[in-house]
Amino acid sequence: PTHDPTIVSHKKVSHVKLESIRNAKNQEVPLYALPRPPVANFKPEKNQQSKSFSQSVFAHHGANDIQEQFEPTFVKLDKQVLRFQGYFKESVVESRLENYRMRKVTIFYFLEDKSIMITEPKQTNSGTPQGAFLKRQMVLKPDGSQQPFMPQDFRVGLDIGIYGRSIRIYDADQYTREFFKNIGQEQPEATQAPIDNFQTSQIPIPPKKDNEMKEYLEKELGGGKVASQKQFLDNDRKVLRFYSKSEGLQFIVHYYLADDTIEIRENHYSNDGRDSFPLYLRRQKLPEK
């Protein structure tokens, strides 16, 4: 605590002193022009003389005539997070299917305290622990300057080094693009992340259909169905009848439109001297020649 709570003092403390008390590490946190600032409604009688010190120093970025009530930096930048999509290449040993794997991550940059959090979306049967890749913390640049990463260090298409891993940024969300557009540094267009052998193996491949083998197995099991179901439904019980004669014998030919089969019956009459077989040719398909 910065004071003894048992001592009652009505002395006013300036907002500059309060800001220095909250920021114990004395780290400078810049006040960015946020794309979606909080809306503050003031009474119309508020004039230039009644504005606080912060209103005169930090003018509202949307319109200079809007009167803004003082807010500490950690309040103004609270819940303001930049989100980037990236990937890095990791070697895979003792595997005959792949030599490397492209691991996709999501980078969160918190403007409030310059901290970074990295998560990795989970993939089914990936064989690697996924989820929280880096807990929220302040990360220093790998150049030895002992300075934390700033928002300007993150650009689509560039590599950033975080704890020995080189992460390529390939996309950013809409709010992040609005933020960089507000500060005059628009992000490039998104690029495509490469696909490794593991992701290719996860793509479902439809089984190859062998119609001849399927029909053969159905026939072996005593089944089978009409090749065209629509033809069967449209022409079921529709039969064409023809009368023919060959070598003095009369025949009736039935042509079934449902499945293109033919049946031939012998036309008998009384005392024709022939055995009355019911069918001359049972119902079946006949070749054209």
Side-chain angles (χ1 to χ4, degrees):
T2 57
H3 65 281
D4 189 356
T6 60
I7 301 177
V8 179
S9 176
H10 299 284
K11 182 180 179 181
K12 294 184 178 179
V13 182
S14 65
H15 67 279
V16 179
K17 182 65 176 177
L18 289 176
E19 186 73 14
S20 62
I21 292 174
R22 293 189 182 97
N23 193 358
K25 296 182 180 180
N26 294 325
Q27 295 177 354
E28 181 182 356
V29 180
L31 188 63
Y32 298 101
L34 302 178
R36 303 170 193 172
V39 179
N41 298 322
F42 299 98
K43 296 181 179 180
E45 61 269 12
K46 191 173 181 66
N47 51 25
Q48 186 68 24
Q49 288 75 17
S50 62
K51 287 185 179 181
S52 64
F53 174 75
S54 64
Q55 295 171 7
S56 58
V57 175
F58 302 112
H60 196 280
H61 60 274
N64 295 329
D65 57 347
I66 297 181
Q67 300 175 356
E68 183 179 2
Q69 189 178 10
F70 168 73
E71 288 181 339
T73 304
F74 69 91
V75 175
K76 185 179 292 295
L77 300 180
D78 184 30
K79 299 180 182 179
Q80 305 295 334
V81 184
L82 307 180
R83 186 173 65 173
F84 303 90
Q85 303 294 334
Y87 65 89
F88 64 91
K89 185 177 180 180
E90 184 180 53
S91 300
V92 177
V93 297
E94 298 182 357
S95 175
R96 63 181 180 85
L97 301 177
E98 55 182 350
N99 298 325
Y100 64 92
R101 183 173 296 183
M102 309 303 297
R103 300 181 61 177
K104 296 182 179 180
V105 294
T106 303
I107 304 174
F108 299 91
Y109 186 90
F110 297 85
L111 297 174
E112 175 187 357
D113 53 359
K114 305 177 186 177
S115 59
I116 297 176
M117 182 178 69
I118 303 178
T119 61
E120 182 179 7
K122 295 184 178 181
Q123 290 179 309
T124 306
N125 297 328
S126 64
T128 57
Q130 296 172 327
F133 189 80
L134 177 67
K135 293 184 178 180
R136 180 178 175 180
Q137 57 185 280
M138 184 178 293
V139 181
L140 302 180
K141 297 180 181 179
D143 55 2
S145 61
Q146 298 298 319
Q147 295 294 327
F149 279 98
M150 301 297 292
Q152 293 78 4
D153 298 326
F154 296 87
R155 297 283 295 175
V156 174
L158 297 182
D159 298 336
I160 59 172
I162 297 180
Y163 292 132
R165 295 187 182 273
S166 180
I167 301 178
R168 170 67 62 88
I169 300 176
Y170 67 91
D171 197 5
D173 63 356
Q174 184 62 28
Y175 176 80
T176 303
R177 294 184 179 276
E178 293 178 7
F179 172 83
F180 281 97
K181 184 178 180 180
N182 247 358
I183 63 177
Q185 300 179 4
E186 295 190 21
Q187 291 284 344
E189 294 295 331
T191 59
Q192 294 293 334
I195 300 178
D196 53 16
N197 294 336
F198 174 75
Q199 293 179 345
T200 305
S201 63
Q202 294 295 103
I203 300 176
I205 301 176
K208 184 178 179 181
K209 294 183 179 180
D210 191 346
N211 295 328
E212 295 182 358
M213 178 60 68
K214 181 179 178 181
E215 184 178 357
Y216 169 76
L217 294 176
E218 289 179 350
K219 295 294 184 181
E220 283 292 320
L221 297 175
K225 61 180 181 180
V226 181
S228 176
Q229 188 176 8
K230 183 177 184 302
Q231 179 184 0
F232 173 78
L233 295 176
D234 294 342
N235 301 319
D236 186 27
R237 294 186 294 181
K238 293 182 180 180
V239 184
L240 304 181
R241 177 178 294 182
F242 303 91
Y243 297 94
S244 63
K245 181 183 293 186
S246 175
E247 298 179 357
L249 301 178
Q250 297 180 0
F251 299 96
I252 300 176
V253 181
H254 292 156
Y255 186 89
Y256 296 86
L257 297 177
D259 53 358
D260 298 328
T261 55
I262 295 177
E263 178 188 71
I264 301 178
R265 292 178 174 270
E266 190 175 353
N267 191 10
H268 293 277
Y269 54 91
S270 300
N271 298 324
D272 59 357
R274 299 182 61 83
D275 295 332
S276 58
F277 290 102
L279 292 176
Y280 185 81
L281 178 68
R282 66 180 179 86
R283 181 178 175 180
Q284 58 182 298
K285 287 188 176 182
L286 293 180
E288 295 182 359
K289 292 183 180 180

